[in-house]
Amino acid sequence: MTRQSPPNLAALTPEQVAERNTFLQSRQARADGSLGGPFDPWMTNAELFHRLTGLGGMLWTRTSLDRGLVELAISITGRFWEANVEWAAHAPRAIEFGVAAGVVDDVLAGRRPKGRPEDELVYDVCQTMHETHALPRPLYDAAVARFGERGLAELMAVIGYYTLVSMTLNAFEVEVAPGQTAPFQRGP
């Protein structure tokens, strides 16, 4: 469920139809025609949808960073914003791509994880940026030494993009899919 009305497919503009058709080449629509996640709110503006899904695809699959670390950064961001859909979609993928389940459990519990050094560094960088909006020089230097300037720039893009995703999900109160658990509870 979501705050947003179900899509009126007959009312879509030609640009929205084109974006939707492209999107549906790699994903399935739900029974009610919705796309799920942040995609339905974004579809209200075809250009916004096009640009954000393009950036998301690049960040999700084509960075210099290990895919597990990208998924961990997304999970950290989802946890920070208490975005249920984000957490449900990406925490399992972090594990699938090599992040220890205990690290993911620690993130969910709001604890600094004990894991591989790169997991801890990603957590420190992401959490510090979320909480303080700055990156102290020693942490910057450690991130550049481990991931390079390109990797750090990509990591910032990942958490920035998924902050936007999380904010969209929360604003529209997009719920997790049936059968998934929502770890963050919202008031009425």
Side-chain angles (χ1 to χ4, degrees):
M1 298 298 296
T2 175
R3 286 178 167 173
Q4 189 174 13
S5 303
N8 179 353
L9 302 180
L12 295 179
T13 66
E15 294 82 10
Q16 289 170 311
V17 169
E19 290 300 328
R20 180 181 170 80
N21 289 342
T22 299
F23 185 80
L24 291 177
Q25 290 175 7
S26 61
R27 294 185 182 214
Q28 273 190 305
R30 295 181 175 172
D32 67 357
S34 67
L35 302 175
F39 305 113
D40 295 301
W42 293 350
M43 185 55 79
T44 62
N45 178 316
E47 183 178 359
L48 179 71
F49 183 91
H50 176 79
R51 292 179 185 278
L52 292 180
T53 56
L55 176 59
M58 177 265 157
L59 293 172
W60 202 44
T61 61
R62 297 186 308 278
T63 69
S64 63
L65 299 167
D66 172 82
R67 178 69 182 276
L69 296 179
V70 170
E71 294 293 344
L72 177 59
I74 296 168
S75 299
I76 293 163
T77 301
R79 171 64 179 97
F80 180 80
W81 284 97
E82 296 184 349
N84 285 312
V85 172
E86 203 61 52
W87 181 266
H90 292 279
R93 288 196 179 275
I95 295 167
E96 177 185 335
F97 287 99
V99 175
V103 168
V104 174
D105 291 343
D106 284 343
V107 171
L108 179 59
R111 296 185 298 262
R112 183 179 186 274
K114 299 290 184 211
R116 303 175 301 182
E118 59 268 27
D119 296 338
E120 293 177 11
L121 181 56
V122 164
Y123 179 85
D124 291 344
V125 167
C126 294
Q127 200 64 22
T128 298
M129 287 302 299
H130 287 311
E131 291 176 358
T132 71
H133 316 294
L135 199 58
R137 186 62 192 230
L139 193 49
Y140 170 89
D141 289 343
V144 169
R146 176 64 182 90
F147 307 120
E149 289 179 338
R150 175 182 171 174
L152 179 57
E154 292 168 343
L155 185 59
M156 294 301 96
V158 167
I159 67 173
Y161 175 80
Y162 282 96
T163 290
L164 170 62
V165 170
S166 295
M167 290 170 67
T168 302
L169 295 168
N170 287 351
F172 286 84
E173 292 185 356
V174 178
E175 294 180 2
V176 298
Q180 290 185 320
T181 301
F184 313 114
Q185 303 306 314
R186 303 241 180 266

